[in-house]
Amino acid sequence: MTTPIVCLENVVKTYPGGVCALRGVNLEIHRGELLAVVGPSGSGKSTLLHMMGALDRPTSGRVLLAGHDVAALPDRRLSGLRASLIGFVFQRFHLAAGVPALDNVADGMLYAGVPLRERRERAAAALERVGLGGRVTHRPHELSGGEQQRVAVARAVARRPLVLYADEPTGNLDSVAGAEVLDVLRDLHADGTTIVIITHEQEVAAAAGRQVRVHDGHIVADVPGGGP
Ligand SMILES: Nc1ncnc2c1ncn2[C@@H]1O[C@H](COP(=O)(O)OP(=O)(O)OP(=O)(O)O)[C@@H](O)[C@H]1O
Ligand SMILES: [Mg+2]
């Protein structure tokens, strides 16, 4: 068995103020998976993604990224490990306003130490891959919502992370634009990217290879899906 990309061991997360969002969660993500996280609003899905991405520290329990206990890593090493392993896509696209698509994607590699010319080449290739080869000079306000989200996906994958985390990536999109974003994610998965997607959509969950159901801070089901 290979080392999981991410491993959560008995993770508890209590927010300041006292809400216990995760109540002892165990989860492993392996290379090549397409995993859907489902569950009602407030059940802890985004908190789970934050823990899996080491964006926030657990109250107790352990988070391992590629076998490294994140609690034992100095902040700089953790940032570096996170940057090389994980790409994030959020419901709100978080693109830099007024900045062309190409630079929005290229700037995502600034801290990975990629030289400017290669950043721009990789950004152009990533935009091509999400079907936006003809939109590289467009600024976010000159793009549709679905196109903006595809720029966000391009930015996340241009760094070539091992795993892509998407938190309701279609939540702000109409069904056509949402379907296009999902097609892009499915293509990336077919090409070998590990994908974890939080979704409210049953269809999306059904198409995943594995479904994790969260309820009230617990994983209440972890089952094979109908998809790849
Ligand atoms: N930063 C925070 N501070 C305090 N409480 C928080 C914080 N973030 C989330 N919570 C609480 O933790 C619980 C889980 O929140 P979380 O965002 O993980 O839910 P979710 O499953 O992603 O919901 P949704 O489907 O609505 O996005 C909720 O009760 C929420 O109010
Ligand atoms: Mg959420």
Side-chain angles (χ1 to χ4, degrees):
M1 199 76 170
T2 54
T3 308
I5 301 175
V6 181
C7 176
L8 303 189
E9 291 176 5
N10 209 15
V11 165
V12 172
K13 178 64 185 179
T14 304
Y15 285 110
V19 174
C20 189
L22 294 176
R23 300 169 185 272
V25 163
N26 294 288
L27 186 67
E28 283 187 3
I29 313 281
H30 289 273
R31 280 189 190 218
E33 288 197 281
L34 172 56
L35 185 152
V37 177
V38 299
S41 181
S43 57
K45 304 181 297 297
S46 293
T47 304
L48 178 63
L49 205 80
H50 280 86
M51 292 297 128
M52 295 193 309
L55 291 172
D56 196 0
R57 294 189 187 267
T59 308
S60 65
R62 287 212 307 168
V63 177
L64 303 157
L65 291 187
H68 301 274
D69 184 343
V70 304
L73 294 175
D75 283 348
R76 273 190 48 198
R77 285 236 18 234
L78 176 57
S79 307
L81 187 63
R82 189 168 48 215
S84 67
L85 282 181
I86 304 169
F88 292 95
V89 174
F90 297 101
Q91 182 172 344
R92 296 187 197 89
F93 320 127
H94 296 302
L95 299 178
V99 174
L102 186 76
D103 299 282
N104 252 298
V105 175
D107 291 352
M109 289 172 272
L110 264 177
Y111 306 101
V114 182
L116 175 65
R117 191 176 157 170
E118 191 185 337
R119 283 208 299 276
R120 295 179 72 88
E121 283 168 5
R122 274 161 66 169
L127 284 168
E128 189 71 45
R129 195 164 176 198
V130 300
L132 292 177
R135 295 287 186 279
V136 292
T137 62
H138 284 234
R139 293 155 215 280
H141 71 275
E142 297 163 340
L143 296 165
S144 72
E147 288 169 344
Q148 289 181 56
Q149 188 60 303
R150 282 186 278 149
V151 173
V153 171
R155 185 180 50 188
V157 299
R159 283 195 289 105
R160 301 174 186 153
L162 275 185
V163 60
L164 182 67
Y165 292 158
D167 192 347
E168 301 203 35
T170 63
N172 276 336
L173 303 176
D174 65 42
S175 55
V176 173
E180 284 168 2
V181 167
L182 292 171
D183 279 346
V184 165
L185 295 179
R186 270 193 282 268
D187 282 353
L188 289 168
H189 176 252
D191 284 349
T193 307
T194 307
I195 296 190
V196 177
I197 180 169
I198 295 183
T199 181
H200 274 117
E201 290 167 68
Q202 197 42 50
E203 262 173 63
V204 178
R210 178 180 171 198
Q211 276 188 46
V212 166
R213 183 168 295 278
V214 181
H215 193 91
D216 198 17
H218 295 282
I219 290 178
V220 293
D222 186 344
V223 295

mmCIF file with all atom_site columns, all heavy atoms in Angstrom, residues 118-135:
data_model
loop_
_atom_site.group_PDB
_atom_site.id
_atom_site.type_symbol
_atom_site.label_atom_id
_atom_site.label_alt_id
_atom_site.label_comp_id
_atom_site.label_asym_id
_atom_site.label_entity_id
_atom_site.label_seq_id
_atom_site.pdbx_PDB_ins_code
_atom_site.Cartn_x
_atom_site.Cartn_y
_atom_site.Cartn_z
_atom_site.occupancy
_atom_site.B_iso_or_equiv
_atom_site.pdbx_formal_charge
_atom_site.auth_seq_id
_atom_site.auth_comp_id
_atom_site.auth_asym_id
_atom_site.auth_atom_id
_atom_site.pdbx_PDB_model_num
ATOM 1   N N   . GLU A 1 118 ? 8.417   30.249 -17.705 1.00 0.00 ? 118 GLU A N   1
ATOM 2   C CA  . GLU A 1 118 ? 7.756   28.952 -17.559 1.00 0.00 ? 118 GLU A CA  1
ATOM 3   C C   . GLU A 1 118 ? 6.372   29.105 -16.926 1.00 0.00 ? 118 GLU A C   1
ATOM 4   O O   . GLU A 1 118 ? 5.436   28.394 -17.284 1.00 0.00 ? 118 GLU A O   1
ATOM 5   C CB  . GLU A 1 118 ? 8.633   28.016 -16.704 1.00 0.00 ? 118 GLU A CB  1
ATOM 6   C CG  . GLU A 1 118 ? 8.123   26.582 -16.757 1.00 0.00 ? 118 GLU A CG  1
ATOM 7   C CD  . GLU A 1 118 ? 8.875   25.642 -15.838 1.00 0.00 ? 118 GLU A CD  1
ATOM 8   O OE1 . GLU A 1 118 ? 10.034  25.954 -15.479 1.00 0.00 ? 118 GLU A OE1 1
ATOM 9   O OE2 . GLU A 1 118 ? 8.274   24.617 -15.457 1.00 0.00 ? 118 GLU A OE2 1
ATOM 10  N N   . ARG A 1 119 ? 6.251   30.048 -15.996 1.00 0.00 ? 119 ARG A N   1
ATOM 11  C CA  . ARG A 1 119 ? 4.927   30.323 -15.405 1.00 0.00 ? 119 ARG A CA  1
ATOM 12  C C   . ARG A 1 119 ? 3.921   30.662 -16.492 1.00 0.00 ? 119 ARG A C   1
ATOM 13  O O   . ARG A 1 119 ? 2.801   30.160 -16.492 1.00 0.00 ? 119 ARG A O   1
ATOM 14  C CB  . ARG A 1 119 ? 5.008   31.516 -14.442 1.00 0.00 ? 119 ARG A CB  1
ATOM 15  C CG  . ARG A 1 119 ? 5.602   31.238 -13.105 1.00 0.00 ? 119 ARG A CG  1
ATOM 16  C CD  . ARG A 1 119 ? 5.070   32.173 -12.016 1.00 0.00 ? 119 ARG A CD  1
ATOM 17  N NE  . ARG A 1 119 ? 5.308   33.593 -12.196 1.00 0.00 ? 119 ARG A NE  1
ATOM 18  C CZ  . ARG A 1 119 ? 6.438   34.231 -11.843 1.00 0.00 ? 119 ARG A CZ  1
ATOM 19  N NH1 . ARG A 1 119 ? 7.429   33.551 -11.292 1.00 0.00 ? 119 ARG A NH1 1
ATOM 20  N NH2 . ARG A 1 119 ? 6.564   35.527 -12.023 1.00 0.00 ? 119 ARG A NH2 1
ATOM 21  N N   . ARG A 1 120 ? 4.345   31.512 -17.421 1.00 0.00 ? 120 ARG A N   1
ATOM 22  C CA  . ARG A 1 120 ? 3.423   31.951 -18.469 1.00 0.00 ? 120 ARG A CA  1
ATOM 23  C C   . ARG A 1 120 ? 3.124   30.819 -19.443 1.00 0.00 ? 120 ARG A C   1
ATOM 24  O O   . ARG A 1 120 ? 1.992   30.660 -19.903 1.00 0.00 ? 120 ARG A O   1
ATOM 25  C CB  . ARG A 1 120 ? 3.979   33.178 -19.175 1.00 0.00 ? 120 ARG A CB  1
ATOM 26  C CG  . ARG A 1 120 ? 4.063   34.383 -18.226 1.00 0.00 ? 120 ARG A CG  1
ATOM 27  C CD  . ARG A 1 120 ? 4.626   35.611 -18.906 1.00 0.00 ? 120 ARG A CD  1
ATOM 28  N NE  . ARG A 1 120 ? 3.690   36.205 -19.861 1.00 0.00 ? 120 ARG A NE  1
ATOM 29  C CZ  . ARG A 1 120 ? 2.777   37.115 -19.553 1.00 0.00 ? 120 ARG A CZ  1
ATOM 30  N NH1 . ARG A 1 120 ? 2.660   37.539 -18.313 1.00 0.00 ? 120 ARG A NH1 1
ATOM 31  N NH2 . ARG A 1 120 ? 1.976   37.592 -20.469 1.00 0.00 ? 120 ARG A NH2 1
ATOM 32  N N   . GLU A 1 121 ? 4.119   29.998 -19.738 1.00 0.00 ? 121 GLU A N   1
ATOM 33  C CA  . GLU A 1 121 ? 3.881   28.853 -20.636 1.00 0.00 ? 121 GLU A CA  1
ATOM 34  C C   . GLU A 1 121 ? 2.929   27.847 -19.990 1.00 0.00 ? 121 GLU A C   1
ATOM 35  O O   . GLU A 1 121 ? 2.006   27.359 -20.636 1.00 0.00 ? 121 GLU A O   1
ATOM 36  C CB  . GLU A 1 121 ? 5.211   28.156 -20.955 1.00 0.00 ? 121 GLU A CB  1
ATOM 37  C CG  . GLU A 1 121 ? 6.059   28.911 -21.973 1.00 0.00 ? 121 GLU A CG  1
ATOM 38  C CD  . GLU A 1 121 ? 7.486   28.368 -22.071 1.00 0.00 ? 121 GLU A CD  1
ATOM 39  O OE1 . GLU A 1 121 ? 7.793   27.328 -21.415 1.00 0.00 ? 121 GLU A OE1 1
ATOM 40  O OE2 . GLU A 1 121 ? 8.277   28.997 -22.786 1.00 0.00 ? 121 GLU A OE2 1
ATOM 41  N N   . ARG A 1 122 ? 3.177   27.573 -18.724 1.00 0.00 ? 122 ARG A N   1
ATOM 42  C CA  . ARG A 1 122 ? 2.304   26.606 -18.037 1.00 0.00 ? 122 ARG A CA  1
ATOM 43  C C   . ARG A 1 122 ? 0.901   27.154 -17.870 1.00 0.00 ? 122 ARG A C   1
ATOM 44  O O   . ARG A 1 122 ? -0.089  26.425 -17.946 1.00 0.00 ? 122 ARG A O   1
ATOM 45  C CB  . ARG A 1 122 ? 2.916   26.219 -16.688 1.00 0.00 ? 122 ARG A CB  1
ATOM 46  C CG  . ARG A 1 122 ? 3.909   25.051 -16.853 1.00 0.00 ? 122 ARG A CG  1
ATOM 47  C CD  . ARG A 1 122 ? 4.868   24.897 -15.725 1.00 0.00 ? 122 ARG A CD  1
ATOM 48  N NE  . ARG A 1 122 ? 4.227   24.518 -14.479 1.00 0.00 ? 122 ARG A NE  1
ATOM 49  C CZ  . ARG A 1 122 ? 4.900   24.113 -13.401 1.00 0.00 ? 122 ARG A CZ  1
ATOM 50  N NH1 . ARG A 1 122 ? 6.224   24.016 -13.446 1.00 0.00 ? 122 ARG A NH1 1
ATOM 51  N NH2 . ARG A 1 122 ? 4.267   23.798 -12.305 1.00 0.00 ? 122 ARG A NH2 1
ATOM 52  N N   . ALA A 1 123 ? 0.800   28.471 -17.631 1.00 0.00 ? 123 ALA A N   1
ATOM 53  C CA  . ALA A 1 123 ? -0.523  29.104 -17.495 1.00 0.00 ? 123 ALA A CA  1
ATOM 54  C C   . ALA A 1 123 ? -1.286  28.991 -18.804 1.00 0.00 ? 123 ALA A C   1
ATOM 55  O O   . ALA A 1 123 ? -2.483  28.651 -18.819 1.00 0.00 ? 123 ALA A O   1
ATOM 56  C CB  . ALA A 1 123 ? -0.365  30.569 -17.082 1.00 0.00 ? 123 ALA A CB  1
ATOM 57  N N   . ALA A 1 124 ? -0.608  29.263 -19.917 1.00 0.00 ? 124 ALA A N   1
ATOM 58  C CA  . ALA A 1 124 ? -1.274  29.189 -21.224 1.00 0.00 ? 124 ALA A CA  1
ATOM 59  C C   . ALA A 1 124 ? -1.751  27.760 -21.492 1.00 0.00 ? 124 ALA A C   1
ATOM 60  O O   . ALA A 1 124 ? -2.872  27.536 -21.955 1.00 0.00 ? 124 ALA A O   1
ATOM 61  C CB  . ALA A 1 124 ? -0.323  29.658 -22.324 1.00 0.00 ? 124 ALA A CB  1
ATOM 62  N N   . ALA A 1 125 ? -0.901  26.776 -21.146 1.00 0.00 ? 125 ALA A N   1
ATOM 63  C CA  . ALA A 1 125 ? -1.275  25.374 -21.377 1.00 0.00 ? 125 ALA A CA  1
ATOM 64  C C   . ALA A 1 125 ? -2.463  24.979 -20.494 1.00 0.00 ? 125 ALA A C   1
ATOM 65  O O   . ALA A 1 125 ? -3.379  24.277 -20.934 1.00 0.00 ? 125 ALA A O   1
ATOM 66  C CB  . ALA A 1 125 ? -0.076  24.470 -21.094 1.00 0.00 ? 125 ALA A CB  1
ATOM 67  N N   . ALA A 1 126 ? -2.452  25.467 -19.244 1.00 0.00 ? 126 ALA A N   1
ATOM 68  C CA  . ALA A 1 126 ? -3.555  25.121 -18.327 1.00 0.00 ? 126 ALA A CA  1
ATOM 69  C C   . ALA A 1 126 ? -4.869  25.749 -18.799 1.00 0.00 ? 126 ALA A C   1
ATOM 70  O O   . ALA A 1 126 ? -5.926  25.121 -18.733 1.00 0.00 ? 126 ALA A O   1
ATOM 71  C CB  . ALA A 1 126 ? -3.222  25.577 -16.906 1.00 0.00 ? 126 ALA A CB  1
ATOM 72  N N   . LEU A 1 127 ? -4.800  26.972 -19.298 1.00 0.00 ? 127 LEU A N   1
ATOM 73  C CA  . LEU A 1 127 ? -6.021  27.622 -19.802 1.00 0.00 ? 127 LEU A CA  1
ATOM 74  C C   . LEU A 1 127 ? -6.529  26.899 -21.044 1.00 0.00 ? 127 LEU A C   1
ATOM 75  O O   . LEU A 1 127 ? -7.739  26.721 -21.225 1.00 0.00 ? 127 LEU A O   1
ATOM 76  C CB  . LEU A 1 127 ? -5.746  29.100 -20.097 1.00 0.00 ? 127 LEU A CB  1
ATOM 77  C CG  . LEU A 1 127 ? -5.676  29.973 -18.844 1.00 0.00 ? 127 LEU A CG  1
ATOM 78  C CD1 . LEU A 1 127 ? -5.106  31.356 -19.174 1.00 0.00 ? 127 LEU A CD1 1
ATOM 79  C CD2 . LEU A 1 127 ? -7.052  30.119 -18.199 1.00 0.00 ? 127 LEU A CD2 1
ATOM 80  N N   . GLU A 1 128 ? -5.600  26.479 -21.891 1.00 0.00 ? 128 GLU A N   1
ATOM 81  C CA  . GLU A 1 128 ? -5.982  25.686 -23.068 1.00 0.00 ? 128 GLU A CA  1
ATOM 82  C C   . GLU A 1 128 ? -6.716  24.422 -22.618 1.00 0.00 ? 128 GLU A C   1
ATOM 83  O O   . GLU A 1 128 ? -7.749  24.051 -23.152 1.00 0.00 ? 128 GLU A O   1
ATOM 84  C CB  . GLU A 1 128 ? -4.691  25.324 -23.819 1.00 0.00 ? 128 GLU A CB  1
ATOM 85  C CG  . GLU A 1 128 ? -4.881  24.689 -25.161 1.00 0.00 ? 128 GLU A CG  1
ATOM 86  C CD  . GLU A 1 128 ? -5.406  25.681 -26.197 1.00 0.00 ? 128 GLU A CD  1
ATOM 87  O OE1 . GLU A 1 128 ? -4.902  26.827 -26.265 1.00 0.00 ? 128 GLU A OE1 1
ATOM 88  O OE2 . GLU A 1 128 ? -6.339  25.286 -26.908 1.00 0.00 ? 128 GLU A OE2 1
ATOM 89  N N   . ARG A 1 129 ? -6.179  23.808 -21.591 1.00 0.00 ? 129 ARG A N   1
ATOM 90  C CA  . ARG A 1 129 ? -6.719  22.535 -21.107 1.00 0.00 ? 129 ARG A CA  1
ATOM 91  C C   . ARG A 1 129 ? -8.143  22.671 -20.569 1.00 0.00 ? 129 ARG A C   1
ATOM 92  O O   . ARG A 1 129 ? -8.932  21.744 -20.646 1.00 0.00 ? 129 ARG A O   1
ATOM 93  C CB  . ARG A 1 129 ? -5.797  22.051 -19.994 1.00 0.00 ? 129 ARG A CB  1
ATOM 94  C CG  . ARG A 1 129 ? -5.996  20.623 -19.640 1.00 0.00 ? 129 ARG A CG  1
ATOM 95  C CD  . ARG A 1 129 ? -4.799  20.184 -18.849 1.00 0.00 ? 129 ARG A CD  1
ATOM 96  N NE  . ARG A 1 129 ? -5.017  18.822 -18.399 1.00 0.00 ? 129 ARG A NE  1
ATOM 97  C CZ  . ARG A 1 129 ? -4.348  18.273 -17.419 1.00 0.00 ? 129 ARG A CZ  1
ATOM 98  N NH1 . ARG A 1 129 ? -3.414  18.960 -16.792 1.00 0.00 ? 129 ARG A NH1 1
ATOM 99  N NH2 . ARG A 1 129 ? -4.600  17.035 -17.055 1.00 0.00 ? 129 ARG A NH2 1
ATOM 100 N N   . VAL A 1 130 ? -8.479  23.832 -19.996 1.00 0.00 ? 130 VAL A N   1
ATOM 101 C CA  . VAL A 1 130 ? -9.844  24.028 -19.487 1.00 0.00 ? 130 VAL A CA  1
ATOM 102 C C   . VAL A 1 130 ? -10.731 24.697 -20.539 1.00 0.00 ? 130 VAL A C   1
ATOM 103 O O   . VAL A 1 130 ? -11.827 25.171 -20.220 1.00 0.00 ? 130 VAL A O   1
ATOM 104 C CB  . VAL A 1 130 ? -9.871  24.826 -18.163 1.00 0.00 ? 130 VAL A CB  1
ATOM 105 C CG1 . VAL A 1 130 ? -9.082  24.112 -17.072 1.00 0.00 ? 130 VAL A CG1 1
ATOM 106 C CG2 . VAL A 1 130 ? -9.356  26.255 -18.357 1.00 0.00 ? 130 VAL A CG2 1
ATOM 107 N N   . GLY A 1 131 ? -10.238 24.744 -21.776 1.00 0.00 ? 131 GLY A N   1
ATOM 108 C CA  . GLY A 1 131 ? -11.056 25.249 -22.876 1.00 0.00 ? 131 GLY A CA  1
ATOM 109 C C   . GLY A 1 131 ? -11.086 26.760 -22.991 1.00 0.00 ? 131 GLY A C   1
ATOM 110 O O   . GLY A 1 131 ? -12.016 27.329 -23.573 1.00 0.00 ? 131 GLY A O   1
ATOM 111 N N   . LEU A 1 132 ? -10.090 27.438 -22.431 1.00 0.00 ? 132 LEU A N   1
ATOM 112 C CA  . LEU A 1 132 ? -10.091 28.901 -22.448 1.00 0.00 ? 132 LEU A CA  1
ATOM 113 C C   . LEU A 1 132 ? -8.883  29.472 -23.199 1.00 0.00 ? 132 LEU A C   1
ATOM 114 O O   . LEU A 1 132 ? -8.459  30.598 -22.938 1.00 0.00 ? 132 LEU A O   1
ATOM 115 C CB  . LEU A 1 132 ? -10.113 29.443 -21.010 1.00 0.00 ? 132 LEU A CB  1
ATOM 116 C CG  . LEU A 1 132 ? -11.412 29.182 -20.248 1.00 0.00 ? 132 LEU A CG  1
ATOM 117 C CD1 . LEU A 1 132 ? -11.300 29.700 -18.819 1.00 0.00 ? 132 LEU A CD1 1
ATOM 118 C CD2 . LEU A 1 132 ? -12.601 29.847 -20.938 1.00 0.00 ? 132 LEU A CD2 1
ATOM 119 N N   . GLY A 1 133 ? -8.388  28.691 -24.164 1.00 0.00 ? 133 GLY A N   1
ATOM 120 C CA  . GLY A 1 133 ? -7.253  29.165 -24.963 1.00 0.00 ? 133 GLY A CA  1
ATOM 121 C C   . GLY A 1 133 ? -7.555  30.491 -25.651 1.00 0.00 ? 133 GLY A C   1
ATOM 122 O O   . GLY A 1 133 ? -6.656  31.295 -25.885 1.00 0.00 ? 133 GLY A O   1
ATOM 123 N N   . GLY A 1 134 ? -8.822  30.750 -25.911 1.00 0.00 ? 134 GLY A N   1
ATOM 124 C CA  . GLY A 1 134 ? -9.200  31.995 -26.582 1.00 0.00 ? 134 GLY A CA  1
ATOM 125 C C   . GLY A 1 134 ? -9.546  33.133 -25.645 1.00 0.00 ? 134 GLY A C   1
ATOM 126 O O   . GLY A 1 134 ? -10.064 34.165 -26.076 1.00 0.00 ? 134 GLY A O   1
ATOM 127 N N   . ARG A 1 135 ? -9.263  32.957 -24.348 1.00 0.00 ? 135 ARG A N   1
ATOM 128 C CA  . ARG A 1 135 ? -9.680  33.981 -23.380 1.00 0.00 ? 135 ARG A CA  1
ATOM 129 C C   . ARG A 1 135 ? -8.519  34.461 -22.499 1.00 0.00 ? 135 ARG A C   1
ATOM 130 O O   . ARG A 1 135 ? -8.747  35.075 -21.461 1.00 0.00 ? 135 ARG A O   1
ATOM 131 C CB  . ARG A 1 135 ? -10.761 33.420 -22.443 1.00 0.00 ? 135 ARG A CB  1
ATOM 132 C CG  . ARG A 1 135 ? -12.066 33.052 -23.108 1.00 0.00 ? 135 ARG A CG  1
ATOM 133 C CD  . ARG A 1 135 ? -12.879 34.284 -23.501 1.00 0.00 ? 135 ARG A CD  1
ATOM 134 N NE  . ARG A 1 135 ? -14.183 33.937 -24.021 1.00 0.00 ? 135 ARG A NE  1
ATOM 135 C CZ  . ARG A 1 135 ? -14.397 33.536 -25.279 1.00 0.00 ? 135 ARG A CZ  1
ATOM 136 N NH1 . ARG A 1 135 ? -13.394 33.425 -26.127 1.00 0.00 ? 135 ARG A NH1 1
ATOM 137 N NH2 . ARG A 1 135 ? -15.613 33.238 -25.681 1.00 0.00 ? 135 ARG A NH2 1
#
